[in-house]
């Protein structure tokens, strides 16, 4: 609270100074009303910029923050961003959530899963403990050696072959020590699914070189926002005038010129046109990759195009199942599916093998949440909610050994891969990416005098989840504050 009070006082004086200096108000358009765009707008408005406009293609704000009502109680669920990663003062999103009282009841994620085989047998805890320990050791070693293994035999090395190779060696090395080789492999298969979800895609696509350091996560674990992530968005929008937000305005052309101080022209699909002196683009990386050739006129500098092509949003989705009564509690709170084999030969038949398992949502006794990643997550989006719910219930009946589990009362599924304005879940490092090259994209396109014309912000530029997206938006806002306020003092 003391921090927030000091922050408000600083903002007050900054605002007063800005009102004096900003006699000529620049026109600033922010493309995208996710947390990056909203945070940039809020910072600019708070220091006195009055001609700020957020243009959003969707019918709602939030981007990959998507809080929706689900179930019979007051608590919502999150189709997108699920936690605040790192509950500390370092985390700008945590500071807001703490200040507005959005963390009650306070709950840090503590996923202690019980591992269930395809035959409906729970694997013994001592076997699970040993298997998880050996898997984590292998995974940590793999991520540490990736920098030296990036180029091997003329090809880029991804996570998958290294992990599989080392797990095979681990089996050979510890045959006499591992409690049960078959069950150990099953636990490892469950852990492989977990890594696919954590890294955001098939492991053949992922090549983290710095692993957790690359994600830029503060310490402290992952904390829930029980009443919904959208509370953060609503708080940030409070001081942004309603007229400064336009929804259902998909930008299809950005006509810019960095050779002089001419206006930037923005065209939207509904044939609206806008002019700006500066544009902050917060569209998802996948959206920019698909549309940059037609979106920017003239085209972006080749250095920025190269970075765009090196970045990728992964594929992760959620499955919510609501029942009339608890399915897991009180015996279980979280179950992991320990498959005999997680390789997928035919995604249409085997997609469910990528489901990690199910957790009971801590605010809802009757609602389960399942996670799925990679090819299967994308394929699942072609199925109806009813089809997905039917298959998931059959899995639960089989693995829990309870044929009396009823059909779900309601099914809710995220579909991020097919969302035309997102096209994926969250960023991961690809085979062609050079670590840290996102800074090339985060640097603005400038006029000859150095003034920023086109700027970029978003989660993929910082490897920092929601707090990184927010900070990247503020970073670009600070460039304009430096240009119009601080340099004039």
């Amino acid at each position: 609270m003391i921090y927030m009070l000091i922050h408000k006082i600083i903002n007050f004086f900054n605002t007063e100074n800005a009102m004096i200096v900003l006699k000529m108000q620049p026109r600033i358009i922010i493309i995208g009303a996710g947390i990056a765009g909203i945070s940039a707008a809020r910072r600019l408005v708070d220091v006195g910029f009055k001609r700020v406009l957020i243009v959003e293609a969707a019918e709602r704000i939030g981007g990959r923050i998507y809080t929706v009502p689900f179930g019979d109680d007051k608590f919502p669920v999150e189709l997108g961003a699920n936690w605040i990663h790192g509950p500390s003062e370092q985390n700008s999103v945590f500071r807001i959530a703490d200040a507005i009282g959005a963390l009650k009841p306070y709950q840090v994620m503590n996923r202690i899963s019980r591992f269930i085989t395809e035959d409906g047998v729970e694997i013994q805890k001592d076997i699970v403990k040993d298997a998880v320990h050996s898997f984590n050791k292998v995974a940590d070693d793999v991520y540490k050696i990736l920098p030296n293994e990036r180029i091997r035999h003329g090809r880029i090395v991804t996570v998958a072959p290294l992990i599989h190779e080392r797990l095979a060696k681990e089996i050979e090395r510890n045959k006499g020590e591992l409690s049960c080789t078959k069950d150990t492999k099953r636990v490892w298969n469950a852990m492989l699914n977990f890594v696919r979800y954590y890294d955001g895609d098939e492991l053949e696509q992922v090549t983290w070189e710095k692993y957790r350091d690359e994600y830029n996560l503060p310490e402290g674990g992952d904390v829930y926002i029980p009443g919904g992530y959208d509370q953060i968005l609503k708080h940030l929008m409070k001081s942004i005038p309603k007229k400064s937000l336009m929804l259902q305005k998909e930008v299809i052309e950005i006509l810019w010129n960095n050779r002089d101080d001419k206006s930037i022209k923005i065209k939207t699909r509904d044939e609206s046109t806008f002019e700006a002196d500066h544009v902050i683009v917060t569209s998802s990386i996948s959206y920019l990759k698909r549309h940059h050739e037609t979106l920017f006129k003239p085209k972006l500098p080749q250095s920025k195009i190269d970075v765009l092509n090196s970045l990728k949003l992964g594929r992760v989705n959620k499955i919510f199942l609501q029942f009339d009564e608890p399915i897991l509690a009180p015996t279980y709170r979280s179950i992991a599916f320990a498959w005999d084999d997680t390789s997928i030969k035919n995604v249409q038949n085997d997609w469910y093998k990528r489901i990690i398992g199910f957790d009971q949502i801590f605010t809802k006794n009757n609602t389960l949440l399942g996670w799925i990643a990679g090819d299967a997550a994308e394929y699942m989006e072609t199925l109806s909610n009813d089809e997905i719910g039917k298959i998931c219930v059959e899995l639960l009946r089989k693995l829990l050994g309870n044929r009396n589990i009823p059909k779900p009362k309601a099914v809710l599924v995220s579909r991020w891969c097919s969302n035309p304005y997102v096209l994926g879940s969250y960023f991961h490092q690809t085979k062609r990416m050079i670590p840290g090259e996102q800074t090339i994209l985060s640097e603005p396109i400038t006029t000859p005098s150095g003034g920023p014309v086109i700027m970029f912000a978003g989660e993929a530029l910082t490897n920092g989840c929601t707090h990184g997206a927010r900070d990247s938006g503020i970073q670009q806002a600070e460039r304009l504050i430096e240009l119009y306020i601080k340099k004039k003092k």
Side-chain angles (χ1 to χ4, degrees), residues 2-64:
I2 292 175
Y3 172 86
M4 292 303 296
L5 178 60
I6 294 171
H7 187 66
K8 286 180 180 178
I9 292 172
I10 292 172
N11 276 345
F12 171 77
F13 285 109
N14 282 343
T15 301
E16 292 301 304
N17 289 334
M19 295 299 185
I20 297 171
V21 175
L22 283 173
K23 294 178 181 177
M24 297 296 292
Q25 288 275 348
R27 299 161 297 176
I28 303 166
I29 289 181
I30 298 169
I31 299 175
I35 196 168
I38 291 173
S39 295
R42 172 65 182 258
R43 179 70 181 125
L44 292 167
V45 168
D46 280 352
V47 297
F49 287 83
K50 294 184 178 298
R51 303 178 73 182
V52 177
L53 178 64
I54 307 173
V55 181
E56 167 59 50
E59 74 285 351
R60 62 175 183 84
I61 66 171
R64 280 167 279 166

Side-chain angles (χ1 to χ4, degrees), residues 292-307:
H292 72 86
E293 290 185 355
T294 57
L295 184 60
F296 296 94
K297 294 185 179 178
K299 72 176 187 177
L300 291 174
Q302 190 60 45
S303 61
K304 295 192 182 298
I305 294 173
D306 290 342
V307 174

Side-chain angles (χ1 to χ4, degrees), residues 50-219:
K50 294 184 178 298
R51 303 178 73 182
V52 177
L53 178 64
I54 307 173
V55 181
E56 167 59 50
E59 74 285 351
R60 62 175 183 84
I61 66 171
R64 280 167 279 166
I65 294 176
Y66 194 7
T67 305
V68 297
F70 186 72
D72 297 330
D73 55 40
K74 66 178 181 178
F75 290 105
V77 297
E78 306 289 359
L79 280 175
N82 210 73
W83 302 282
I84 296 175
H85 298 288
S88 74
E89 285 298 307
Q90 294 174 265
N91 189 316
S92 60
V93 174
F94 175 80
R95 292 199 300 267
I96 293 174
D98 190 31
I100 65 176
L103 301 176
K104 299 175 183 178
Y106 192 87
Q107 179 82 20
V108 176
M109 184 187 73
N110 184 18
R111 178 183 282 132
I112 302 177
S113 295
R114 302 174 74 168
F115 289 72
I116 313 295
T117 71
E118 294 179 34
D119 298 324
V121 177
E122 181 179 353
I123 299 176
Q124 295 176 29
K125 288 183 173 58
D126 58 338
I127 297 175
V128 170
K129 182 179 178 181
D130 289 345
V132 169
H133 175 77
S134 60
F135 182 92
N136 286 338
K137 183 180 182 301
V138 164
D140 286 344
D141 288 345
V142 165
Y143 288 113
K144 286 175 184 175
I145 68 171
L146 270 174
N148 296 326
E149 294 285 335
R150 184 169 173 83
I151 305 293
R152 187 173 68 174
H153 304 304
R155 65 183 176 87
I156 301 296
V157 177
T158 60
V159 171
L162 290 175
I163 281 189
H164 290 302
E165 174 186 304
R166 293 200 167 215
L167 287 177
K169 289 180 179 178
E170 191 75 8
I171 284 284
E172 288 299 315
R173 230 183 355 252
N174 296 283
K175 273 184 177 177
E177 297 178 20
L178 294 173
S179 305
C180 175
T181 301
K182 193 168 186 179
D183 277 347
T184 295
K185 288 181 178 178
R186 287 167 170 159
V187 174
W188 285 352
N189 284 335
M191 295 298 292
L192 284 169
N193 269 348
F194 177 81
V195 175
R196 290 180 182 108
Y197 136 75
Y198 187 86
D199 282 356
D201 214 329
E202 297 292 342
L203 299 184
E204 289 78 9
Q205 303 294 322
V206 178
T207 175
W208 285 114
E209 287 197 11
K210 296 182 182 177
Y211 196 36
R212 291 178 177 86
D213 291 340
E214 197 70 23
Y215 257 136
N216 189 27
L217 299 183
E219 296 295 328

